[in-house]
Amino acid sequence: MTNEVINDPKMEAFEARIARGEKIEPGDWMPEAYRKQLIRMISQHAHSEYIGMLPEGKWIPHAPSLRRKMILIAKVQDEAGHGQYLYHAAETLGATREEMMDAFLTGKAKYSSIFNYPSDSWSDVAIIGWLVDGAAIKNQLMLAQCSYGPYSRAMVRICAEETFHHKQGKEMVLKYAAGTPKQREMVQDSLNRYWWPSVMMLGPHDSDSPNTPQLVRWGIKTKTNDEVRQEFIAETAPELLEAGLTIPDPDLHQDETSGEWIHGPIDWDEFWQVVRGNGPCNKERLAARAKAHADGAWVREALNGYSQKKSAAIIN
Ligand code: BYC
């Protein structure tokens, strides 16, 4: 326990508010560690949305029909919007957009491991929608209950949109799984490549998760990584099997007594390699975002110039 916690009336009042289920709002007193944890998590989450546009965005020009193209454009646009809500939520804690972008583009800040895997076929778009958005929703429904008001409210809005993303992915996977042998083979290949990264994206096991105890204590997380992972597997695995697909985990089974889904060992070496910047696409993804940021410099300059001119006009 930190010194901040011991015999501090402000801390006691703060923790009592959390225990009563009250939301903490931007102007309220909060421990420095609470503020830092939130900035870390919310900015990582924002970066994930922002970089998460890339694997699916790549497929917009190759969508097999106008309907699929319109759905995918809307989804990718939504991810950009989610990034905006989240950067704003982090700004309410005193982080500036420039600091967050700098940490992201220089590789100091983390973002979700899942977006460092390639999207090699059209059915990856389908599997990302079902699995990646499905895992993200499980995590975000938990975060919608979080103790910090702006993050919790952003999550409510994001979850509504993610539900649409999840459904469109599932609809495609089910269609291809019941389609031609070629479609079936394509979607099975996507599942083979995306199952484990999706299971991993919910974070290390609780025993190896240094942040979880403090986050749970302060109501930032309301469930642990393993609890969320179990929910994701319990919901998704039976539906994939029902669709006739094979999950690439020979040990996966449902315990007859508890009903719990038991998965095989997770390759945490792979996970940490990806988190540390050595995944299949880390360099390519960051380079693409850095280019987009540089290409957008003129827009930021124009906006700054406009707002300065407007302020000058108001003062005069
Ligand atoms: N990838 O103590 P732990 C989306 C890091 S995007 C990389 O368990 P915590 C979407 C962790 O940061 C959805 N790093 O951490 C968008 C920590 O390092 P630091 C993204 C990971 O915070 C487009 C260290 O490992 N969602 O929906 O208690 C298209 C130890 O971990 C990962 C969010 O960002 C990972 N997967 O729990 C489609 C949700 N996992 O920071 C979809 C917000 C762990 O101490 N974040 N690490 O140096 C969270 O809920 C939590 O931060 C996590 C990790 C559950 C991810």
Side-chain angles (χ1 to χ4, degrees), residues 161-230:
E161 293 175 359
E162 296 277 35
T163 303
F164 152 75
H165 300 170
H166 182 236
K167 280 186 184 152
Q168 63 85 38
K170 186 169 166 180
E171 187 247 343
M172 267 198 279
V173 173
L174 294 179
K175 193 175 167 109
Y176 301 147
T180 64
K182 183 78 199 151
Q183 285 175 320
R184 218 181 151 74
E185 186 191 319
M186 181 177 73
V187 80
Q188 180 63 57
D189 174 63
S190 299
L191 176 59
N192 292 347
R193 288 180 289 105
Y194 269 91
W195 173 257
W196 284 113
S198 303
V199 168
M200 288 179 199
M201 75 179 267
L202 295 163
H205 282 314
D206 297 349
S207 51
D208 296 317
S209 166
N211 296 296
T212 294
Q214 190 174 54
L215 295 176
V216 169
R217 176 185 176 99
W218 285 336
I220 297 176
K221 271 180 175 177
T222 53
K223 288 179 185 163
T224 68
N225 298 353
D226 283 327
E227 284 167 347
V228 177
R229 188 172 7 256
Q230 276 310 123

Side-chain angles (χ1 to χ4, degrees), residues 40 44 79 110-111 113 136 139 201 209-211 221 225:
R40 176 187 70 84
Q44 284 178 4
E79 313 297 358
K110 292 192 170 71
Y111 59 88
S113 49
N139 168 273
M201 75 179 267
S209 166
N211 296 296
K221 271 180 175 177
N225 298 353

Side-chain angles (χ1 to χ4, degrees), residues 37 40-42 44-46 48-49 51-53 56 75 79 110-115 128 132-133 136-137 139-140 142-143 151 162 165 200-205 208-212 215 221 225 271-272 275:
Q37 279 284 22
R40 176 187 70 84
M41 252 176 83
I42 301 174
Q44 284 178 4
H45 196 164
S48 303
E49 298 282 357
I51 213 154
M53 291 189 281
E56 292 170 280
K75 180 179 191 289
E79 313 297 358
K110 292 192 170 71
Y111 59 88
S112 184
S113 49
I114 191 75
F115 302 116
I128 289 172
V132 177
D133 286 87
I137 291 175
N139 168 273
Q140 289 168 173
M142 172 276 281
L143 293 171
Y151 195 24
E162 296 277 35
H165 300 170
M200 288 179 199
M201 75 179 267
L202 295 163
H205 282 314
D208 296 317
S209 166
N211 296 296
T212 294
L215 295 176
K221 271 180 175 177
N225 298 353
F271 173 77
W272 291 115
V275 171

Side-chain angles (χ1 to χ4, degrees), residues 74-90:
K75 180 179 191 289
V76 172
Q77 262 178 352
D78 284 350
E79 313 297 358
H82 298 171
Q84 292 294 335
Y85 307 155
L86 289 161
Y87 284 123
H88 283 306

Side-chain angles (χ1 to χ4, degrees), residues 169-310:
K170 186 169 166 180
E171 187 247 343
M172 267 198 279
V173 173
L174 294 179
K175 193 175 167 109
Y176 301 147
T180 64
K182 183 78 199 151
Q183 285 175 320
R184 218 181 151 74
E185 186 191 319
M186 181 177 73
V187 80
Q188 180 63 57
D189 174 63
S190 299
L191 176 59
N192 292 347
R193 288 180 289 105
Y194 269 91
W195 173 257
W196 284 113
S198 303
V199 168
M200 288 179 199
M201 75 179 267
L202 295 163
H205 282 314
D206 297 349
S207 51
D208 296 317
S209 166
N211 296 296
T212 294
Q214 190 174 54
L215 295 176
V216 169
R217 176 185 176 99
W218 285 336
I220 297 176
K221 271 180 175 177
T222 53
K223 288 179 185 163
T224 68
N225 298 353
D226 283 327
E227 284 167 347
V228 177
R229 188 172 7 256
Q230 276 310 123
E231 282 182 10
F232 166 67
I233 295 175
E235 180 182 296
T236 318
E239 293 180 341
L240 287 167
L241 296 174
E242 175 78 10
L245 294 165
T246 305
I247 298 174
D249 175 357
D251 297 326
L252 186 71
H253 65 280
Q254 193 173 20
D255 183 81
E256 278 178 18
T257 323
S258 65
E260 202 185 336
W261 282 83
I262 315 287
H263 60 77
I266 298 175
D267 184 351
W268 292 114
D269 287 344
E270 175 183 318
F271 173 77
W272 291 115
Q273 280 297 327
V274 175
V275 171
R276 291 190 187 115
N278 304 317
C281 299
N282 296 58
K283 290 178 186 61
E284 176 190 328
R285 299 280 187 248
L286 268 185
R289 289 289 67 149
K291 182 178 181 309
H293 193 69
D295 289 349
W298 68 273
V299 179
R300 292 189 296 280
E301 273 165 34
L303 281 172
N304 279 341
Y306 175 74
S307 57
Q308 275 164 15
K309 210 168 158 191
K310 211 170 151 194

